[in-house]
Amino acid sequence: MATNALLFKNYSYRDDPNVTDFDDSRPIIVFDGECALCSAFIQFVIRHDKFEEFQFTTGQSSLGQALFQHYDLDTVNFETNLLISKGSAYAKMSAFSQTTSLLPYPAKFFSLAKYLPSPMGNWLYDLIARNRYRLFGRADSCLLPDSNLKKRLIE
């Protein structure tokens, strides 16, 4: 499984007929809308994203499905968030560290995760991802958007 877009041509999703057009001028996070940990992370991003730069979509949405498929990621288990920023795609620990690097301090401190060696960071990410429902719970439905999220949610 690919871990970041360095393995992909930037903006390659634009040439994929299965990926519907979306506003890619701002970063977008594709997340598991049924995962309590993933939804908490999105709430964290929203709280710290003072300029409302980020957009969001769930892996369960048609856009999320198409993007996960385009990047050869699991379209059922969603064991990674996917960040697309400036045409580059990031998954696993690189998605986490890149996302937090785009936030202001103090949230930006979490971007220090980029200094973990890739195998160790992705192993840790995979360990948490495989156990996320057991450890943090699973929602019966996708995150219910408040007005702040609703205007940035692509369905």
Side-chain angles (χ1 to χ4, degrees), residues 5-106:
L6 298 177
L7 304 174
F8 299 102
K9 178 182 156 211
N10 280 355
Y11 296 101
S12 62
Y13 54 84
R14 288 181 175 173
D15 298 328
D16 187 335
N18 296 315
V19 177
T20 57
D21 289 338
F22 64 95
D23 176 9
D24 61 4
S25 66
R26 302 184 308 159
I28 184 169
I29 300 173
V30 186
F31 69 101
D32 179 354
E34 295 178 357
C35 168
L37 177 63
C38 304
S39 295
F41 179 66
I42 297 305
Q43 292 296 334
F44 172 85
V45 171
I46 290 169
R47 269 194 316 280
H48 291 91
D49 183 18
K50 301 299 181 200
F51 298 107
E52 298 184 358
E53 293 292 319
F54 284 89
Q55 310 174 86
F56 310 94
T57 192
T58 64
Q60 292 85 353
S61 71
S62 59
L63 177 59
Q65 286 282 297
L67 288 168
F68 266 63
Q69 188 171 33
H70 175 77
Y71 289 109
D72 200 26
L73 298 169
D74 190 332
T75 58
V76 176
N77 293 319
F78 308 111
E79 290 188 353
T80 183
N81 285 329
L82 178 65
L83 168 69
I84 298 176
S85 177
K86 297 180 181 173
S88 296
Y90 304 88
K92 297 188 181 191
M93 191 58 82
S94 65
F96 174 79
S97 63
Q98 185 65 23
T99 297
T100 55
S101 76
L102 298 172
L103 295 171
Y105 289 104

